[in-house]
């Protein structure tokens, strides 16, 4: 079945460091791919999405490119801030059912 | 994007009791989804709710434990029945729009 694999956390960085959180997927067909962020004590927010191969989603300085050849959707940010500390979830939607399948989440901790 | 009002935001319940969680959406949507997020873990889909039909449950979830109502295109409820401490989780509803919008979640603690 379809699945999403994320790098384990926590990822600990200093402010202004470069961030990469790896995400790979297994899917039949052509799923849409998403990154969600969950700040401490809050609900889930959509960070960015991509719906087809080579699409790049971007928001708030974060980017991710849908790579069909490597089945990946890695999240990157050039310079992280303390306020980026949160849990990040990679997800895919199955086109025939519209339900989301989530990765296990990666906790990011940014220190000043 | 859609706005979802979910309540209660949190509750502490006695084992053996039931809790009903409500989600109200500010626009009409075909499908609503209910997820569970156990402590420190990812989200798992419980069921998909369409208006006018029985909810479709994922493997490991049954209607007797998690009955769902979907009386119209803007509202749904999830009941957690006969609760045990293992049901302590965050429960979230979701709808598909630009990128799936989630309610703010219900943090349930069963004691």
């Amino acid at each position: 079945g379809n699945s999403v694999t994320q790098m384990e956390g926590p990822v600990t960085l200093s402010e202004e460091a470069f961030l990469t959180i790896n995400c790979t997927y297994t899917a039949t067909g052509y799923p849409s791919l998403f990154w969600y962020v969950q700040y401490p004590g809050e609900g889930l927010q959509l960070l960015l999405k991509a719906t087809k191969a080579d699409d790049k989603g971007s928001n708030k300085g974060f980017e991710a490119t849908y790579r069909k050849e490597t089945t990946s959707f890695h999240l990157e940010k050039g310079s992280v801030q303390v306020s980026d500390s949160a849990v990040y979830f990679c997800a895919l939607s199955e086109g025939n059912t519209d339900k989301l399948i989530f990765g296990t989440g990666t906790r990011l901790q940014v220190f000043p | 994007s859609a706005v979802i009002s979910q309540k209660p935001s949190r509750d502490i319940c006695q084992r053996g009791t039931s809790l009903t969680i409500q989600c109200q959406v500010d626009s009409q949507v075909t499908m609503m989804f209910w997820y569970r997020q156990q402590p420190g873990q990812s989200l798992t889909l419980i069921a998909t709710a369409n208006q006018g039909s029985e909810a479709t449950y994922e493997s490991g979830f049954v209607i007797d434990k998690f009955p769902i109502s979907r009386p119209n295109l803007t509202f749904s409820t999830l009941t957690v029945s006969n609760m045990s401490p293992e049901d302590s989780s965050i429960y979230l509803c979701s709808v598909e729009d630009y990128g799936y919008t989630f309610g703010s979640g219900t943090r349930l603690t069963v004691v």
Side-chain angles (χ1 to χ4, degrees):
Chain A
N2 296 347
S3 65
V4 175
T5 301
Q6 281 182 245
M7 63 187 291
E8 290 192 18
V11 173
T12 305
L13 295 172
S14 298
E15 208 165 24
E16 299 184 4
F18 184 86
L19 168 70
T20 299
I21 300 178
N22 290 338
C23 171
T24 57
Y25 67 91
T26 301
T28 55
Y30 304 95
S32 293
L33 302 173
F34 306 83
W35 277 101
Y36 285 87
V37 58
Q38 187 174 38
Y39 297 102
E42 298 188 15
L44 222 60
Q45 301 176 25
L46 175 66
L47 184 59
L48 52 85
K49 67 176 281 190
T51 58
K52 62 182 186 299
D54 300 325
D55 265 2
K56 177 186 285 187
S58 61
N59 186 25
K60 300 181 181 179
F62 292 89
E63 293 182 341
T65 301
Y66 191 145
R67 301 285 189 200
K68 191 171 187 298
E69 64 277 12
T70 55
T71 61
S72 65
F73 193 54
H74 304 321
L75 182 68
E76 296 181 336
K77 187 175 185 182
S79 175
V80 293
Q81 306 299 313
V82 173
S83 57
D84 293 326
S85 298
V87 180
Y88 292 81
F89 293 94
C90 185
L92 67 82
S93 70
E94 298 183 329
N96 56 336
T97 64
D98 292 320
K99 66 182 183 182
L100 283 176
I101 296 174
F102 285 86
T104 53
T106 303
R107 181 175 300 278
L108 170 64
Q109 299 174 322
V110 181
F111 294 96
Chain B
S1 58
V3 176
I4 301 175
S5 174
Q6 182 173 345
K7 57 183 181 182
S9 59
R10 60 178 64 231
D11 208 341
I12 300 174
C13 300
Q14 297 290 323
R15 68 178 66 201
T17 63
S18 298
L19 175 72
T20 295
I21 301 166
Q22 300 179 4
C23 273
Q24 178 76 51
V25 189
D26 69 345
S27 58
Q28 294 185 337
V29 293
T30 304
M31 288 188 287
M32 293 182 73
F33 306 90
W34 287 97
Y35 289 85
R36 181 176 71 182
Q37 185 179 22
Q38 294 178 296
Q41 298 190 29
S42 188
L43 285 79
T44 302
L45 181 65
I46 297 171
T48 303
N50 288 333
Q51 191 265 337
S53 63
E54 291 284 331
T56 302
Y57 288 83
E58 298 299 304
S59 176
F61 298 96
V62 295
I63 188 171
D64 289 346
K65 176 68 176 177
F66 298 101
I68 288 171
S69 77
R70 183 81 202 276
N72 57 53
L73 291 173
T74 64
F75 187 79
S76 180
T77 68
L78 170 77
T79 299
V80 186
S81 303
N82 188 25
M83 290 184 285
S84 66
E86 292 70 34
D87 295 319
S88 297
S89 296
I90 299 173
Y91 293 85
L92 302 102
C93 61
S94 174
V95 300
E96 182 194 7
D97 50 10
Y98 170 72
Y100 296 84
T101 298
F102 285 80
S104 53
T106 297
R107 185 178 296 272
L108 170 63
T109 303
V110 183
V111 297

